[in-house]
Structures are given as C-alpha cells and as structure tokens.
Amino acid sequence: MLRRSKPLLFSIALGLLGVTQASAVALPDSAVDCRGTIAKNYAKLMKTAHKTIAACHKSRDGGKTMAGVDCNDMTQADSKSKFSSARTKAEMAISTACAGENATLTSASSGTQFYVSCPVSCAVPNPMTTMAEVATCLGCRAENIAETAGTTALGSPTPSSLTSDDIKCRSALAKGYANVAATAYKTETSCQGDDDEAGDYDIASCVGFDPDSKVSGAQTKADGKVESSCAAAALANLDTCATDTIANLKTCSAAAFASAENDAFEITYEAHATLCPPAVRLTTRSGCSTLEETAGGCSNGGATTSSSSDGWKGYGHDQDLVDAVPLALDVSCPGAFGSCGSCTIGGISTDSVLYDGFARCAASPWIECSNVFDTDAACGGGNCTYFASPPIAQAVGGTPVCLLSRFDEDVSGTVDPDSGSANITMATRSSVYIGIAQQQPCPICEGDATPQDGNANGLCNGGARDGMACDVQGFDLTYATDADAPVSGNSLDCPPSLGLALTGATGIPREIDMKTGSTSKPASDACEAPLNALSCFCGVCSGDTLETCDDDAHCAGMGLGTCGSGGSPGVDRRPNNCGDLTCTAVPGQTDRGQCSSDTAKYCNGMLRADGRGLLPCASDASCDAYVTGSLDEEQWVCPNDNCGDCAAGPPPSCYLDPIVVEGVADPAAPTLAGVSCAPASSNSAVNTAYGLPGPVTMRMETILERRY
C-alpha cells in the first residue's frame, strides 16, 4: 500500500504522536469490526466537537453570546447540546459494536493491550478493562482535543475589539483547518482500516497517508482562504497563537489542528498509558537470543552477555540462561505518570502468558497449581511453587547436567519503570540432575508450532515424560535441534528424570540481589589449610551449613560458629582453580578473569551456539572417543557423529578479587547483575565440579515492559 508524507504544516505535529507500536497479534474479525466502528463514529464526534467550539466563537464574536462565555470550554460552548448528544450516540454505538471484545482489546490475554488507560481528568477507571470504559474515554478525549485546538488557534479575544474583518479571519481559521483535520482523519483511518483487515495494527504506517492528495488539497484551500480573509484583519486583536504575520498565523493554527487530528487518530486505535503501571514484565535475552532478532544461531540472532557463573572452580562459569523467559512483577509506585519513581515490588504478578506454566508443584514440575508458595491439593497436599525458568542445560567440566530452579519465596525489591533501574531480591533453590547427553543435557520439547501459548502441542524428547505433550516455554539455542526455526525448546512439561537428582530434595538455596547498578564482593575469609594464609570467597557457617557467610563475624553474630567450607560434602575452598592461584584480569570484565598459566582444550566439532567449546579434551584421540558409529543421530554426541579435533580454547575462567558485577539501567532494555554465595549441595560430585560452597554471579539482559 502506498504511503506518503503529510504536507509540511501537518508534519509539524507528527512528533506529538508518540505511538507505542502494537504487536501483530491476530485479532478476530469482531475486534477488527469494533475498531472500524470506533473510527466511523469518532470521525463524526470530532467533527461535531470542532463545529461546536467554532459556532460558539462565531456567536460570541458577533455579540450574540455573552462575552463572559469561554467558548474553548465544551460545557459552556455546547449551549444547544449538539456535542453532548453526539457523544452519547457515539459512545453507545461503540459500546454496542465492541461488546465482547474486552479481553481481546483491553487486557493482555491476546498478547497486546490496544486500549490501556485514560487521563485521570476523564474519571474513567484505570487501567481500563471494558470497551464501555474505552467508549467513555473516547468521548471525553474528543472534548479535550477540541478544547485544546480552540484555545491555541482561536484564543478568547474581547468581542468589542473585533472588526468585521477580524471576525471573518477567525471564522476562516476555525473552518478551514478543522476541515483539513477531518480530511486527514478520514484518509488515515481508511488506511488503517485496510491494514487492520490485513493484520497490521501498527498505526505508524498510516500517519500521513494521502495517496490522492486530498489532505494537501484541503490544506492549500484553507491556507488560501486564511490569506484572503485575514488580509484586512488587525492580527493584534485576534488573541490567537500568532498575531504578527499571516504566515505565522497559518503555521501555528494549522499545527494546532494537526495535533488535534494526530491525537484523535492515535486514541482511535491505541490509548496510551497515563498512569504508572500496576505491573512490569522483564523478559530475559540470553545466549543467542530469539528476541527482536531473526531466530537462529549467533550469525542471525543477537549474542547477549546473559549468563550464570556458579562456584569458584570456573567449570560452572558463563553458562547460558534460558532465552525469552518472562517474569512479571506487581508494583506500587509513589509518583505519577512520567515520574513514577522507585516502585515497590509486591511479588510475582499473574500478568504473564506463562504464569500458569511456571506455577507448578515443587515435586512434580509438570503439574500446574494455583496456591503458589503454599500447599496445594493439585500437588497432593505438597508445595506449589513458582519456577524461575524451564529446565536449564549446562555442561560442567565435561559432564552434562540439567537444572531446575524455583523461587523459595516471593520476589521483592524495587523497580523504576521510567529510568529502568531496579534492585530485585530473588531467593531461589536449584536442583541438579544428571544430564541425558553432551548434546542434550535436558529433555527438549519438540514440534511446538506456537511456543509459549500454554497449549501442549509439542512432544517431550527425553526425561521423565518422554513422548508426552508439552508447550515450549523458552529457548537454549546451544542445544536446540532446530535453531533456525525454533519450534523446539525447554519446558517444565519435560523435566529431567527426577530419579537422577544429584542434590537431593532440598536443592541448592541461594539469595541474590539483581541490580542495574554495581555490586562488589571481596574474598574476605581465610581459606582452608594449607591455604589459610590466603583469602577465599563464600563459606558456610559451621552451626548451619545452609547459611552462607563472608567471614567469621557473620556467623558469630548469629551464634552459628565460624565461617568455612563446612566439611564434606562441601569442598575445601581455594581463591580460584588456577595452577598458580593467580587470576588475571580480562579487558571488559570486572567479575571474572582467566588462569593465564593454564591451558584449556576443547573438541572443535561440538561448540556452543556462540562458538565456545563444550567437550574438554587432552588430544585428538579424546575427541575420537566420543564418536559412536551409530546410524541413529539421536545417539550422536557431536553433529554428524564427528567431534572434530582437540583445539586450544580460552584459558580457564576464574573469579577476580573483588568480584564486581555491573548492571545497566535502561527504560526499554535494562541489564540486571548480581553476586552472592551458594552453599554446598548434598552431593559431593556436584560440589567438586562447581566448587561449592562458593560465589555465584548472574547477568541478565532483559526487555522491560509496562503492563496495565
């Protein structure tokens, strides 16, 4: 469809549109018809609004209406009730035509909220939840829009000071540019009506649509009429937006009505927020993110810095998080729209398409439950919890593992939706399971044509529910089998085999503050002998080995003994796992460095999606040993059953002292970062592989959405 720019004077106000683009969700025909009805009736209502204001000014200028009447106030201008009658008629028509579209157009159930909130002055409940409320808001906004245009373009001059030429000029302003606005609105809504039918709900593409030059023609006509009608007028008497020259008078008056038309066109299809959000949603971008990018490997997708690094040994460092995982949070803000301030988090919000998908029984993560953080009948009287993510695949020291991470308690903290700053406390508990294979540590949900819709249209490959139905809840492109068209991914419907747990029923607890600012943790506790002259990170209290500590004073203050490794099954701590105990800084990193005295080799035929190695090796023979010779590709460890050669990779990772993590505040895409301690698990093999007890860091690139 052809798109053209608006003429210059109407372009002046385009910047005021401030459109938030709507996602291309598939609207039912009834919702499209509803939007068409709104456009049809709003055209009539706006035309009546401008005519009512103009008629009052004409009557007042001519002395037929009292000079004390404010014609830019609709209540005073509408003496014959023409506008109020038109408003009632329009609101009723919209409410009737849009009945049944509440969930589709005002809530998040369809994935996009087209009508969110209304100015507080309109006395409509915010956020709006019904199309009847939207209709009331539209009527109120029509009144406001016309009043603003009249105040700017027509002012309120003293009638006795006006000559007949002045009155003629003012009439030309009101009539001419209101007609341009009406023509532009009709043209643009016609364009958007076609786009709505085609499934394109982004109104930006119809702004300035003028294929037949009707708008530019109306503007040329209005300009000419103002020039001729105002030639003999005393501009200083007019009390308009410009009283020096006719050229400036044309420009500012046209801009006032252009702004009115922009506002009317926008609210016809998208009612923007006018209040602080009751909830925010953070969606993780991780690994080779599928978000806002063409799906696929790092060559097509966007490589991110999101990762989790667990333990002091370095084998558990730089592990991918699951991509596209949402976390919605209820918030209460102290300020007003535009300056909401530091909003208090009230806990995990239900405003997420995956809320039901992550509210699961702790002991049976494929079963949905509703009584989060308490016992639930759906769980056989066991605990209902909220999982932080679908299963997380990792390869730690060449050993594949699969993690299930759940929240121990509700999320707390603060977030500022205007600046994108946040400080979020997350208390989680992770259970570690023996992975299926190097190329597939976790079970995968395969063949789900519409991921993250709550419908189990895929099938589990591997794990406790192999072959059973599932819904993809997130992506890990390192291990996905069809990364170029991701219909496969991670899902709690496909948990690992619970009998292969390495950490027992309790898992590994940890609490971490994820911030958009800076967090630092020094090594401040004496290491275990014979390295007790050196300082180590993160011990546990001898009186409670689940209580982490940074030094003896922390434990002593709670009467829990001293800080240390806690003994078996934990492992004695070292500052790092480098042969010379020296961690060398790497440019651009503040938390991790590398063991420059050590080397690391990996089979180059089996790599992460971002190019990092997965299979440690000592020689080419080590890589050849992974070859199965099977004709069944599901048995292969490496693609094409060829793990390549043993090649040098980056030196082993280690933590710097102090560990410093840096988040980034951003209103659209904040990065959250945190550092804390994790105690030892109940399994000595896990503790030995990761280096636990020990420090943990996390970095999450996210997309921030205001939810209404």
Side-chain angles (χ1 to χ4, degrees):
M1 184 177 290
L2 177 66
R3 298 283 186 267
R4 291 187 185 176
S5 298
K6 277 189 176 180
L8 176 61
L9 293 182
F10 261 74
S11 297
I12 293 172
L14 291 184
L16 299 176
L17 193 59
V19 175
T20 299
Q21 296 185 359
S23 301
V25 297
L27 290 179
D29 290 343
S30 56
V32 172
D33 291 342
C34 163
R35 282 158 63 91
T37 298
I38 291 175
K40 179 180 178 181
N41 283 273
Y42 216 52
K44 297 176 182 178
L45 185 59
M46 285 305 309
K47 190 172 183 178
T48 301
H50 287 308
K51 287 182 68 175
T52 299
I53 296 287
C56 178
H57 276 285
K58 184 176 180 180
S59 178
R60 183 176 180 275
D61 290 349
K64 297 179 181 179
T65 295
M66 295 178 59
V69 172
D70 182 359
C71 288
N72 298 317
D73 178 274
M74 187 64 75
T75 301
Q76 299 182 53
D78 191 27
S79 59
K80 298 181 180 180
S81 300
K82 289 186 177 182
F83 174 77
S84 61
S85 297
R87 176 177 172 177
T88 298
K89 184 177 180 180
E91 290 178 6
M92 184 170 294
I94 293 170
S95 296
T96 301
C98 297
E101 302 308 319
N102 298 339
T104 303
L105 295 176
T106 69
S107 77
S109 64
S110 65
T112 298
Q113 293 162 294
F114 292 92
Y115 303 97
V116 180
S117 64
C118 196
V120 174
S121 59
C122 288
V124 174
N126 277 311
M128 296 182 288
T129 58
T130 69
M131 290 306 294
E133 292 170 352
V134 173
T136 301
C137 179
L138 288 165
C140 174
R141 289 294 293 131
E143 182 175 327
N144 299 157
I145 290 168
E147 289 174 341
T148 300
T151 300
T152 302
L154 301 176
S156 188
T158 303
S160 60
S161 68
L162 299 175
T163 66
S164 59
D165 289 325
D166 298 339
I167 295 173
K168 181 180 178 182
C169 175
R170 285 170 50 76
S171 179
L173 291 172
K175 183 177 181 180
Y177 293 123
N179 183 60
V180 179
T183 304
Y185 181 85
K186 183 177 180 180
T187 304
E188 290 180 349
T189 53
S190 176
C191 165
Q192 188 57 44
D194 291 340
D195 280 6
D196 272 11
E197 293 285 350
D200 179 6
Y201 314 119
D202 179 3
I203 68 175
S205 60
C206 284
V207 173
F209 184 60
D210 189 22
D212 301 320
S213 300
K214 291 182 179 180
V215 180
S216 59
Q219 186 166 290
T220 297
K221 183 177 179 180
D223 287 343
K225 186 66 175 178
V226 169
E227 289 172 359
S228 60
S229 299
C230 297
L235 301 185
N237 295 336
L238 303 185
D239 192 35
T240 53
C241 50
T243 57
D244 51 354
T245 67
I246 292 178
N248 288 339
L249 178 60
K250 290 191 301 178
T251 298
C252 72
S253 298
F257 281 95
S259 177
E261 190 275 332
N262 281 331
D263 290 343
F265 177 58
E266 175 188 355
I267 199 172
T268 298
Y269 301 102
E270 297 179 1
H272 287 170
T274 57
L275 73 165
C276 294
V280 296
R281 185 187 296 172
L282 294 163
T283 303
T284 302
R285 301 180 64 237
S286 182
C288 297
S289 180
T290 63
L291 298 174
E292 297 186 342
E293 302 283 353
T294 301
C298 281
S299 59
N300 295 321
T304 75
T305 61
S306 297
S307 66
S308 175
S309 295
D310 296 0
W312 55 263
K313 280 203 171 179
Y315 298 131
H317 289 191
D318 296 310
Q319 299 291 328
D320 284 344
L321 306 176
V322 181
D323 182 44
V325 175
L327 176 64
L329 303 169
D330 290 324
V331 296
S332 176
C333 303
F337 179 69
S339 56
C340 294
S342 183
C343 306
T344 301
I345 295 172
I348 298 170
S349 174
T350 58
D351 183 20
S352 170
V353 293
L354 290 181
Y355 180 83
D356 291 338
F358 287 166
R360 301 287 179 105
C361 298
S364 305
W366 59 92
I367 299 177
E368 293 184 358
C369 52
S370 57
N371 200 20
V372 176
F373 303 123
D374 206 340
T375 57
D376 194 296
C379 306
N383 289 328
C384 176
T385 190
Y386 195 85
F387 282 82
S389 166
I392 303 169
Q394 293 188 357
V396 182
T399 301
V401 295
C402 186
L403 282 70
L404 288 179
S405 180
R406 63 190 187 274
F407 288 105
D408 241 2
E409 58 188 46
D410 216 341
V411 175
S412 61
T414 60
V415 60
D416 185 335
D418 297 311
S419 68
S421 62
N423 184 349
I424 304 174
T425 298
M426 300 179 180
T428 62
R429 190 173 292 267
S430 297
S431 297
V432 184
Y433 299 83
I434 298 173
I436 299 172
Q438 291 284 356
Q439 79 279 14
Q440 187 186 331
C442 289
I444 295 176
C445 179
E446 296 182 332
D448 185 9
T450 309
Q452 298 186 322
D453 66 348
N455 296 317
N457 295 322
L459 294 176
C460 295
N461 180 340
R465 303 184 73 246
D466 184 40
M468 302 183 74
C470 56
D471 175 43
V472 169
Q473 297 175 322
F475 305 92
D476 185 336
L477 298 189
T478 290
Y479 300 104
T481 57
D482 53 357
D484 290 329
V487 296
S488 297
N490 307 53
S491 175
L492 289 169
D493 294 332
C494 305
S497 296
L498 303 187
L500 299 179
L502 294 173
T503 50
T506 58
I508 306 173
R510 72 176 180 183
E511 181 174 306
I512 188 167
D513 289 336
M514 298 296 290
K515 302 179 181 179
T516 51
S518 177
T519 306
S520 176
K521 179 176 286 296
S524 53
D525 190 49
C527 302
E528 281 68 56
L531 301 178
N532 47 308
L534 302 176
S535 294
C536 278
F537 299 101
C538 293
V540 292
C541 294
S542 59
D544 182 353
T545 55
L546 291 181
E547 179 68 32
T548 59
C549 52
D550 291 319
D551 51 39
D552 288 340
H554 175 90
C555 299
M558 297 186 294
L560 294 177
T562 58
C563 188
S565 68
S568 181
V571 296
D572 287 347
R573 298 166 298 161
R574 293 163 56 95
N576 51 61
N577 203 38
C578 302
D580 61 1
L581 296 178
T582 301
C583 188
T584 304
V586 175
Q589 290 189 353
T590 58
D591 57 339
R592 299 182 312 285
Q594 60 187 24
C595 302
S596 55
S597 63
D598 302 323
T599 59
K601 292 184 177 181
Y602 298 91
C603 299
N604 59 16
M606 178 64 176
L607 302 175
R608 298 177 188 270
D610 60 5
R612 289 183 290 146
L614 275 171
L615 300 179
C617 57
S619 64
D620 290 348
S622 301
C623 299
D624 293 339
Y626 290 114
V627 176
T628 68
S630 173
L631 297 178
D632 182 1
E633 64 179 60
E634 290 192 2
Q635 301 300 316
W636 298 344
V637 175
C638 301
N640 302 314
D641 203 23
N642 182 359
C643 295
D645 300 323
C646 189
S653 175
C654 52
Y655 277 123
L656 298 169
D657 184 13
I659 301 171
V660 179
V661 293
E662 301 282 353
V664 180
D666 187 290
T671 297
L672 302 173
V675 55
S676 67
C677 298
S681 75
S682 59
N683 185 276
S684 59
V686 171
N687 300 333
T688 299
Y690 284 90
L692 296 176
V696 295
T697 62
M698 184 178 292
R699 182 180 174 87
M700 294 169 51
E701 292 186 24
T702 69
I703 292 174
L704 172 64
E705 299 175 82
R706 298 163 175 255
R707 304 299 299 174
Y708 292 92

